Amino acid sequence: MTSQVERLTFNCTAPLQLGHSLHVTVPTHSHNITPLVPPPPISASTTGTIELHTTPDTYPVWTTTVPVVKGSCSSGPKPLNYRYCVKTTDGAGVKWEGEEISEHGGVVAEAGDEGILPESRSGRVGRRVVKYRSVAGARDDSGVITDAFENGFDGPEYDESTKAWRELYAKPQKQRSNEGAGRIDFISDEEISRGEETSDRKSALFLICYHLPIQLWRDSGGAWRGKWQNSLLAKTDGSVADAVPTFWIGGVKIPGLTPSDERDIKAVCEAMNAHPIFIPQELHEHSYLGMCKQVLWPFFHNIDMLDVSTSGFGDNPAVEEARPGDAPSIWDQSRLHKKWWESYQRVNMMFADLASSVMRPGDTAWVHDYHLAILPKLLEKRQVREAGRRTTSTIFFLHIPFPTSQVFRELECGEWILEGMLSADVVGFHAFDHARHFLNASKRLMGLNYESKFGGLIGLQYRGRTVMVSTSHVSIEPTVMTATMKHSAALGVRDGIRSLHSGRQVLGGVDVAQKLSGVALKFLAYEKLLEDYPVWQRKLVLVQRVLTPRNRTKDEDQTLRHVRTIVRRIEAKHGAGCIDYKEAEGSELPVAERVGLWMATDVYFNSTIREGLNLGPLEYVYCRGGGVPGVVVCSEFSAACNILNGALRINPFDVQQTSAVLDKALKMGLDEKEKRRGRDIDFVSQRTASQWSRHVLRDLKEAVAASKEEDAGNVVSEGELLSFSHVNVMNLVSAFRSSSERVIICDYGGTLLSKEAPGKYLKRDISATSGRKPRPDVMSSLERLCEDPRNTVFVVSGVNRRELEGSLGSIPRIGLAASNGACFSWPSTAEDGAREWHAFQFGVDWEDVKAVAIPIMSKYAARTNGSSLKILDLSISWSYFSADPEWGAIQAKFIVPELQDKLKAFDVQVVMLKGQVEIVPKLLHKGVLVKRLLRELAAKNKKYPQFTMVVGDDKSDEPMFAASFDFLAEQVDPDFVAASSPSLPVALVTGGSGSFDSSDSKPPTRSPTPTLGRRLSHDTNLVLPPFKAESQYAYTITVGRKASNATEFLHNAREVEDLLVALAMADEGEHNKDIKKRLSTLSTESWDDQHTIDSSFYDI
């Protein structure tokens, strides 16, 4: 059930020293609190607190002199968490109550495996333990909360070491009992974040990959058997599976399986804690061989559409088999949606279905590689639909490169892929190059910002939470390598190569037959070496193995033809003994053959152009121990280049330089070889798959600990955790129905009208708002709401009067406010719909301001393509919404201080909003209008509205939320003016004349005794009615999860539309079931931001 407005007074007994003052900090959604709640104890500032007062007669009792307003919450009553602090009058420092440092602070220790997985989605690790007082509501009829410090409260002690800490502010996840009136419990941060146990087993880890790392075969009796493969993801001795319950989910692709075979294989796999998925042959071909290998693999390796279409990277049977004139264009990606992309989604859905059926709340899903890139999003959608929140943690690790944003945006399904990856808690890469491209693509394609986080991680802000991005490379399994080096098969390969090429040094390498492996460049460099350094013609052999997995057949065939031609040419010039070239089917050599080759090789030669995970160079370094070390020559484009400090680096495209480096490697002395190997052997031998897994899981634990999202509804911003929940529309509808006087105030762009993120490089809309109208359902809902005389509906926008009236002026009885509230029009009652506009006057000489500002803004507009100037009624703005977002943001950082310096003599301010810089009067913001509207309505109707709802989406709307709470506070004390609140300069609010004299800016003196029903000293024409204790509902709603003065949030403009539809239907007497059915239909329709609506939005 939705909660009503509460007005609370704090009384606290605290015997403080002379010169000290007492303050209380409460949630931001009260009328005189700023978003920083509570402030970090790094200075004497008490911003974000309310000061309590005392007198010689009442000391040591301290009391708040103005009411603290607790707003309505559609998801039900929530406890008020608060905390006291003492400040010295000389500003020496601040001391907060209940501070102590957790014994388990800091990062997660690597020693030991206890707690290797996050305990719950809401758990936090290594944080400061901060105790809060909590009260479910007013403890007596007057709303007075009475506290006392039983053991006293020492004076402030300011410690410089506390600068490193940030305060957490959270609401409890479970309701605490309150026995007896006035009882107040202390809640620690650890208690707040402790999750409920959901099952009797510990949280489990699920490793999810396209290929299940189990080798399956029939024994002599026809029974199915299974064993772990030599795979990074397989179970090994000492693996993470020994520390936590671990399960595997993966695909099994064996042709000709019967239902009986599948049952037997499933039994074999489940005995190994694995869950197989049997993918139909056609689906596998379209998804894996089609979408993954022909499209995603080339794109992720930075191959653009032209090369994919014409250079053999993507096989297109439709083009090859069609008759001349009927073949589709090589540029056409429609085939992806007909077969490949659709099959890719279906396969990911199969994995989501199985994972959801076996995972429990609190488990962790570790999704591997690009074959399952959208799986994290599918898991999240399913959990939100079924449980109303995310119930598991997710890691997505990409084992291949990530392309540049310029290449990635050529992919039609690119944003789907990005959203899928971003739905994980941690996105991992093997190299920072790959992570940097991912961050850049997220910023330029989706407008997401990122920043460095404590502990070395990078945080991406996505849908109100932080997605951590990490880089971590894995090495080899030393025990496997050591055992293989002693195996007769490996020794036989080694001895065979040495015997065959006796008297020659060996260059060795293993590559896949594909252009990006750089095999052709390797042979060209080898040819150049033999020509420029003829001494090696009879002393050197290149042992090269080329693999043919037959995934991209055209690419493989073209590569093999090219390589064979070069090999024949070299052999013709220098004899057959200088090259040992063989081709092998499959994606890798058997481990014994590979290790034997490494032991026989003097110089490892890698010339890859682009690659992801490749353990070959690391295996070579390890296998060359115990004797004469080898030398690694690797491409600067390889992943190993950034890992092996002892390697010699080459640019494979520079054939001359490569041949010179090879000559250096072949001539290198023993001492230098040993030193180079010594630089790498520690990493190579210690970063096993088990240790790598622990490092990635540690990153996950830190990510969950530092997460800016809590499923109970908490949102973090810059270290402050705010009580914040998603709107429950049906509870809000119930409050709306029960109220007779209702006020609805909505922002326009970003609230009623969807806006793209300003950070996106290419935007589908030329403008954020201009020239665009809300969707038809929004328009019809507004019209129906305005028809009811019990409703007053206002739309407040930053656009000018003409544009706003052109978009919404056709709706009868709707109130409009343009230019951020500088001018407004009450709902028109005239038959012809004519409007009368009123404007605030701020005493600003705009002609003088323009003379100074426009030349500066024109200069920046000229150098920033896509930017523009706009002159509104009471503002001048420079918009870079349509410019390159990074270049526009850089220019904005410079234009703001330049304008501030030149305009400091004028009564204006320069503000930076989403995608624009605006010059406005110092005293202008939307809160001015909101407070004016609410006061005039109360005076006109001679009663206060029972239902108030204010909705906005960005920083310019925050003053509207604060103003609505100011209005609620002054209903008890109509002489109260929040002069100390920077968000609402109430002296600016005018009387009925609609004008303001800027010289009359002194706030009125507060009357010590409230007098109800009297004129406001600062609004001489308004008489507010006497306050009556009755049910009131006040909702402040922001669009998007972020730090806000609002009490609740909606995810996007579509949910705002659905909310308005629900209110309009309620006004027409529709039953709740019909409303919910209508909303469920709306939620399945297409929407340009593609975000799913929380299922809790529709709960009754």
Side-chain angles (χ1 to χ4, degrees):
M1 183 61 184
T2 188
S3 59
Q4 299 179 10
V5 172
E6 294 183 61
R7 297 171 177 84
L8 306 175
T9 300
F10 290 86
N11 280 350
C12 183
T13 301
L16 303 183
Q17 301 175 19
L18 184 64
H20 294 172
S21 60
L22 186 66
H23 299 250
V24 63
T25 181
V26 295
T28 61
H29 39 271
S30 56
H31 69 279
N32 54 356
I33 301 299
T34 68
L36 296 177
V37 180
I42 60 175
S43 69
S45 171
T46 51
T47 301
T49 64
I50 303 174
E51 185 175 2
L52 284 77
H53 298 271
T54 188
T55 67
D57 295 331
T58 60
Y59 180 83
V61 177
W62 300 73
T63 305
T64 51
T65 56
V66 296
V68 174
V69 176
K70 185 182 175 189
S72 301
C73 183
S74 63
S75 58
K78 294 185 178 180
L80 178 72
N81 300 327
Y82 61 98
R83 187 172 174 225
Y84 291 101
C85 71
V86 177
K87 176 189 173 184
T88 57
T89 54
D90 59 4
V94 174
K95 181 177 177 64
W96 295 85
E97 68 164 324
E99 285 188 2
E100 60 181 88
I101 306 300
S102 169
E103 295 180 357
H104 305 288
V107 299
V108 181
E110 292 185 30
D113 293 312
E114 183 178 357
I116 194 170
L117 295 181
E119 293 182 4
S120 68
R121 286 283 315 159
S122 57
R124 289 187 297 274
V125 178
R127 292 304 186 105
R128 191 175 186 77
V129 176
V130 181
K131 291 186 176 180
Y132 292 90
R133 296 172 180 259
S134 180
V135 62
R139 296 296 94 187
D140 57 33
D141 293 338
S142 61
V144 176
I145 298 175
T146 302
D147 294 324
F149 294 105
E150 298 177 359
N151 301 321
F153 196 168
D154 296 334
E157 297 175 3
Y158 181 55
D159 184 0
E160 287 288 328
S161 66
T162 61
K163 287 186 177 181
W165 295 99
R166 289 184 176 275
E167 301 296 336
L168 296 175
Y169 193 86
K171 67 177 181 358
Q173 299 225 3
K174 55 184 179 180
Q175 183 71 35
R176 297 178 60 90
S177 61
N178 288 281
E179 298 177 2
R183 173 168 177 176
I184 298 175
D185 294 332
F186 275 100
I187 302 178
S188 73
D189 180 68
E190 289 181 342
E191 290 176 300
I192 288 171
S193 62
R194 186 179 299 126
E196 299 288 349
E197 289 295 329
T198 58
S199 67
D200 54 355
R201 76 155 164 83
K202 294 172 61 178
S203 295
L205 173 65
F206 284 79
L207 300 176
I208 308 176
C209 48
Y210 188 86
H211 302 286
L212 192 65
I214 295 177
Q215 182 180 343
L216 296 162
W217 76 97
R218 290 183 188 270
D219 63 16
S220 58
W224 284 97
R225 296 287 184 263
K227 68 175 184 178
W228 293 107
Q229 294 177 339
N230 181 24
S231 167
L232 173 68
L233 306 180
K235 183 177 182 180
T236 58
D237 292 336
S239 69
V240 70
D242 296 334
V244 296
T246 304
F247 301 86
W248 285 259
I249 297 175
V252 171
K253 187 66 195 70
I254 302 177
L257 290 179
T258 66
S260 176
D261 290 331
E262 292 183 357
R263 287 193 298 270
D264 293 343
I265 291 174
K266 183 177 180 182
V268 170
C269 293
E270 288 181 348
M272 302 171 69
N273 277 0
H275 301 277
I277 296 178
F278 300 98
I279 304 172
Q281 178 65 24
E282 184 179 7
L283 200 59
H284 169 75
E285 290 177 355
H286 289 159
S287 176
Y288 181 75
L289 298 178
M291 188 68 200
C292 293
K293 292 303 180 180
Q294 311 302 329
V295 179
L296 296 184
W297 191 93
F299 270 103
F300 273 64
H301 284 79
N302 257 332
I303 306 300
D304 66 22
M305 176 58 67
L306 177 62
D307 288 330
V308 169
S309 301
T310 62
S311 301
F313 286 104
D315 297 343
N316 188 355
V319 174
E320 297 169 357
E321 298 172 4
R323 293 176 301 177
D326 294 337
S329 168
I330 59 176
W331 302 97
D332 184 16
Q333 295 188 52
S334 62
R335 67 185 188 279
L336 307 186
H337 295 278
K338 291 179 181 177
K339 292 182 179 179
W340 293 352
W341 174 240
E342 181 180 315
S343 298
Y344 182 86
Q345 295 179 81
R346 287 178 59 193
V347 168
N348 276 257
M349 282 298 301
M350 292 174 65
F351 276 82
D353 291 341
L354 179 57
S356 299
S357 68
V358 296
M359 293 178 66
R360 302 179 185 178
D363 288 344
T364 295
W366 188 346
V367 182
H368 289 271
D369 229 357
Y370 63 108
H371 319 91
L372 303 173
I374 63 174
L375 179 56
K377 182 173 183 178
L378 297 177
L379 291 174
E380 179 190 39
K381 289 175 65 175
R382 184 181 295 269
Q383 291 167 13
V384 168
R385 184 172 66 247
E386 295 177 355
R389 62 187 179 91
R390 292 164 59 97
T391 58
T392 63
S393 301
T394 307
I395 304 169
F396 179 83
F397 208 99
L398 187 67
H399 297 284
I400 63 174
F402 194 91
T404 64
S405 61
Q406 185 171 358
V407 171
F408 190 78
R409 69 170 181 256
E410 295 177 13
L411 191 60
E412 284 187 0
C413 55
E415 286 195 28
W416 284 81
I417 300 291
L418 269 183
E419 288 188 352
M421 297 173 66
L422 288 165
S423 296
D425 297 282
V426 173
V427 180
F429 301 88
H430 286 296
F432 182 68
D433 255 1
H434 310 159
R436 179 172 58 239
H437 290 160
F438 172 75
L439 294 170
N440 199 35
S442 299
K443 180 176 180 62
R444 298 177 78 81
L445 271 71
M446 301 183 68
L448 305 181
N449 294 317
Y450 58 88
E451 59 184 357
S452 299
K453 295 293 181 181
F454 181 79
L457 298 176
I458 299 174
L460 260 175
Q461 301 303 313
Y462 176 65
R463 296 187 67 189
R465 61 188 183 86
T466 299
V467 179
M468 295 297 184
V469 178
S470 69
T471 58
S472 179
H473 205 294
V474 65
S475 186
I476 62 170
E477 298 297 321
T479 56
V480 175
M481 290 291 105
T482 300
T484 307
M485 289 168 65
K486 299 176 182 178
H487 197 276
S488 59
L491 294 174
V493 173
R494 180 200 65 183
D495 296 340
I497 294 175
R498 288 180 176 176
S499 175
L500 180 63
H501 306 293
S502 177
R504 293 177 183 260
Q505 290 198 53
V506 177
L507 285 177
V510 178
D511 297 283
V512 178
Q514 56 193 18
K515 293 183 179 68
L516 295 186
S517 293
V519 187
L521 292 173
K522 177 184 291 189
F523 279 103
L524 290 175
Y526 182 62
E527 182 180 34
K528 186 68 174 175
L529 173 69
L530 297 180
E531 292 175 355
D532 290 355
Y533 304 89
V535 66
W536 296 116
Q537 292 177 3
R538 297 292 182 266
K539 297 181 179 180
L540 185 64
V541 61
L542 173 58
V543 179
Q544 178 66 41
R545 302 293 180 257
V546 176
L547 306 174
T548 56
R550 309 310 290 170
N551 289 330
R552 288 174 299 279
T553 56
K554 184 182 291 187
D555 181 17
E556 293 175 18
D557 292 342
Q558 291 181 358
T559 301
L560 290 175
R561 285 196 298 269
H562 192 192
V563 168
R564 290 167 186 165
T565 300
I566 301 175
V567 169
R568 287 194 296 267
R569 186 175 69 217
I570 295 174
E571 289 180 333
K573 288 182 181 179
H574 306 289
C578 67
I579 290 180
D580 182 350
Y581 172 79
K582 292 181 182 179
E583 298 170 5
E585 292 186 0
S587 58
E588 65 177 11
L589 283 181
V591 62
E593 187 173 345
R594 208 166 59 238
V595 169
L597 173 59
W598 302 151
M599 290 191 292
T601 298
D602 298 293
V603 176
Y604 176 92
F605 187 13
N606 169 277
S607 59
T608 186
I609 296 173
R610 294 182 193 112
E611 70 174 3
L613 177 64
N614 181 6
L615 298 181
L618 286 73
E619 290 180 347
Y620 176 78
V621 170
Y622 187 84
C623 292
R624 292 294 298 186
V628 178
V631 182
V632 175
V633 176
C634 67
S635 166
E636 64 186 50
F637 305 112
S638 67
C641 178
N642 297 317
I643 300 170
L644 298 180
N645 296 320
L648 295 175
R649 295 170 174 82
I650 60 166
N651 182 339
F653 294 101
D654 189 341
V655 175
Q656 181 72 49
Q657 179 248 6
T658 301
S659 65
V661 172
L662 289 173
D663 178 66
K664 176 181 177 180
L666 293 166
K667 294 177 180 178
M668 187 177 293
L670 177 61
D671 183 60
E672 184 176 354
K673 288 181 179 179
E674 290 176 341
K675 288 180 179 178
R676 286 183 176 273
R677 183 176 186 272
R679 298 174 190 173
D680 300 321
I681 190 60
D682 286 344
F683 174 87
V684 168
S685 58
Q686 294 176 11
R687 185 61 69 90
T688 63
S690 172
Q691 288 299 318
W692 170 71
S693 299
R694 284 170 167 79
H695 281 290
V696 176
L697 292 172
R698 179 196 60 192
D699 289 346
L700 171 66
K701 195 164 187 177
E702 291 187 9
V704 173
S707 178
K708 294 189 174 184
E709 175 202 36
E710 294 218 355
D711 292 322
N714 295 330
V715 172
V716 180
S717 177
E718 295 298 326
E720 291 79 32
L721 205 58
L722 312 177
S723 287
F724 203 45
S725 59
H726 190 272
V727 171
N728 184 306
V729 67
M730 300 311 299
N731 284 346
L732 192 147
V733 165
S734 296
F736 180 79
R737 274 185 166 143
S738 65
S739 305
S740 57
E741 297 290 334
R742 310 141 170 177
V743 179
I744 299 173
I745 301 174
C746 289
D747 171 52
Y748 184 54
T751 303
L752 299 180
L753 188 70
S754 65
K755 286 194 303 187
E756 295 181 273
K760 290 182 68 173
Y761 177 68
L762 291 176
K763 301 178 176 67
R764 297 181 179 91
D765 297 310
I766 297 175
S767 169
T769 53
S770 298
R772 300 172 57 213
K773 287 188 176 184
R775 286 160 53 98
D777 279 337
V778 175
M779 298 292 287
S780 62
S781 297
L782 289 174
E783 187 169 351
R784 288 153 66 189
L785 287 169
C786 291
E787 289 173 354
D788 191 329
R790 295 174 294 177
N791 302 331
T792 300
V793 181
F794 249 91
V795 175
V796 184
S797 174
V799 302
N800 62 36
R801 184 174 69 182
R802 178 176 53 82
E803 290 179 351
L804 186 62
E805 197 167 9
S807 298
L808 300 175
S810 61
I811 301 177
R813 290 184 46 79
I814 191 171
L816 301 176
S819 300
N820 290 319
C823 55
F824 62 97
S825 168
W826 285 97
S828 174
T829 56
E831 293 184 1
D832 58 359
R835 290 184 173 274
E836 180 180 356
W837 286 86
H838 308 271
F840 292 105
Q841 299 298 325
F842 297 92
V844 177
D845 189 335
W846 283 104
E847 294 304 318
D848 289 348
V849 172
K850 291 176 186 177
V852 174
I854 289 181
I856 298 174
M857 301 174 91
S858 298
K859 175 181 66 175
Y860 283 88
R863 71 167 62 136
T864 311
N865 292 338
S867 66
S868 60
L869 269 67
K870 197 169 189 177
I871 300 177
L872 303 179
D873 298 307
L874 285 175
S875 67
I876 309 171
S877 66
W878 173 71
S879 172
Y880 58 94
F881 178 83
S882 298
D884 182 294
E886 293 183 64
W887 181 240
I890 290 173
Q891 297 304 305
K893 290 180 180 179
F894 287 95
I895 192 175
V896 169
E898 186 170 347
L899 287 172
Q900 288 174 335
D901 179 63
K902 299 298 183 182
L903 296 174
K904 57 188 176 183
F906 299 92
D907 199 20
V908 296
Q909 61 177 328
V910 182
V911 295
M912 185 182 294
L913 301 173
K914 289 183 179 180
Q916 70 176 12
V917 173
E918 193 169 16
I919 303 171
V920 297
K922 284 184 178 179
L923 299 178
L924 173 64
H925 53 72
K926 293 181 181 179
V928 172
L929 175 77
V930 168
K931 202 163 190 183
R932 169 68 182 268
L933 297 178
L934 293 174
R935 282 175 170 168
E936 289 204 12
L937 285 171
K940 174 185 175 183
N941 299 329
K942 295 184 173 54
K943 62 183 300 186
Y944 295 105
Q946 288 182 275
F947 178 95
T948 305
M949 185 180 77
V950 182
V951 189
D953 77 299
D954 62 19
K955 185 168 63 176
S956 67
D957 301 316
E958 293 298 315
M960 295 200 302
F961 306 144
S964 67
F965 284 107
D966 274 349
F967 177 69
L968 293 169
E970 74 179 16
Q971 292 176 18
V972 178
D973 182 359
D975 273 356
F976 163 67
V977 178
S980 62
S981 173
S983 62
L984 187 63
V986 294
L988 191 149
V989 181
T990 68
S993 62
S995 62
F996 173 71
D997 184 357
S998 60
S999 64
D1000 184 22
S1001 59
K1002 183 178 179 181
T1005 302
R1006 220 185 148 270
S1007 173
T1009 305
T1011 305
L1012 302 182
R1014 56 173 294 178
R1015 293 180 185 273
L1016 293 174
S1017 56
H1018 52 283
D1019 265 343
T1020 56
N1021 295 332
L1022 294 181
V1023 179
L1024 292 182
F1027 175 74
K1028 295 181 179 179
E1030 59 181 357
S1031 297
Q1032 275 188 304
Y1033 301 95
Y1035 300 94
T1036 50
I1037 302 170
T1038 187
V1039 180
R1041 281 179 162 176
K1042 54 183 177 289
S1044 173
N1045 284 319
T1047 55
E1048 298 180 282
F1049 70 92
L1050 295 170
H1051 280 304
N1052 46 49
R1054 177 56 186 270
E1055 289 194 353
V1056 176
E1057 174 185 329
D1058 289 359
L1059 176 59
L1060 293 175
V1061 168
L1063 294 179
M1065 293 179 69
D1067 238 9
E1068 296 175 355
E1070 297 283 353
H1071 194 275
N1072 278 4
K1073 290 184 178 180
D1074 296 327
I1075 296 176
K1076 191 170 183 180
K1077 182 178 179 181
R1078 165 66 172 160
L1079 295 180
S1080 299
T1081 302
L1082 285 173
S1083 68
T1084 60
E1085 295 176 0
S1086 61
W1087 185 242
D1088 52 8
D1089 60 13
Q1090 298 179 350
H1091 290 333
T1092 304
I1093 299 171
D1094 270 359
S1095 62
S1096 60
F1097 186 75
Y1098 307 114
D1099 289 343
I1100 297 180

